[in-house]
């Protein structure tokens, strides 16, 4: 609930505590990743999504969020590699296609 109340620091602390108790819940990594995206800590958010994907490798939103983090962290080649994988695997994922186009345009 702290996340929805925009208490991002409190939300991250709660996620940290929850992960100490049970580091096998991908949704906690997702929530902490979202907090870190909102606070523009893209590198650490990408780490959270990598961990979430280790636990739930077929979650396309986790793949997308990690690619977004790579892009925002300035790792455009890595973001594009991830987005190529996403758009090949989930051909109807419009949001990923749009981000892929944005990354390509930013490289020109």
């Amino acid at each position: 609930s702290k996340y929805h109340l925009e208490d991002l620091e409190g939300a991250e602390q709660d996620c940290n505590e929850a992960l100490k108790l049970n580091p096998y819940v991908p949704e906690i990594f997702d929530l902490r990743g979202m907090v870190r995206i909102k606070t523009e800590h893209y590198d650490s958010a990408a780490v959270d999504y990598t961990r979430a994907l280790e636990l739930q490798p077929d979650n396309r939103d986790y793949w997308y969020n990690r690619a977004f983090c790579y892009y925002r962290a300035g790792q455009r080649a890595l973001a594009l590699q991830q987005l190529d994988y996403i758009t090949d695997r989930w051909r109807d994922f419009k949001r990923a296609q749009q981000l892929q186009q944005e990354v390509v345009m930013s490289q020109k």
Side-chain angles (χ1 to χ4, degrees):
S1 65
K2 289 181 183 179
Y3 176 79
H4 295 291
L5 295 172
E6 295 293 321
D7 177 7
L8 300 178
E9 185 177 324
E12 184 166 359
Q13 290 172 355
D14 287 352
C15 289
N16 292 339
E17 289 302 314
L19 288 168
K20 286 179 188 175
L21 297 172
N22 189 351
Y24 302 104
V25 180
E27 293 83 5
I28 301 171
F29 287 103
D30 178 32
L31 179 58
R32 189 171 70 179
M34 291 305 297
V35 168
R36 290 175 170 178
I37 287 172
K38 281 192 169 221
T39 58
E40 299 182 1
H41 294 104
Y42 300 111
D43 290 330
S44 54
V47 171
D48 281 334
Y49 283 107
T50 297
R51 184 67 179 116
L53 283 165
E54 290 170 0
L55 298 168
Q56 200 173 62
D58 294 326
N59 187 310
R60 76 178 194 171
D61 291 325
Y62 296 171
W63 280 97
Y64 173 84
N65 288 341
R66 184 170 70 174
F68 176 81
C69 290
Y70 287 148
Y71 171 56
R72 294 304 296 258
Q75 300 179 50
R76 288 177 176 82
L78 188 53
L80 196 54
Q81 177 187 13
Q82 298 283 296
L83 289 162
D84 287 344
Y85 171 79
I86 294 166
T87 57
D88 284 346
R89 184 166 180 195
W90 294 285
R91 296 188 184 278
D92 63 337
F93 195 7
K94 299 292 184 210
R95 192 171 46 161
Q97 293 168 358
Q98 292 169 343
L99 182 59
Q100 187 178 36
Q101 291 171 354
E102 185 177 330
V103 172
V104 168
M105 294 302 291
S106 74
Q107 289 181 319
K108 293 182 179 181

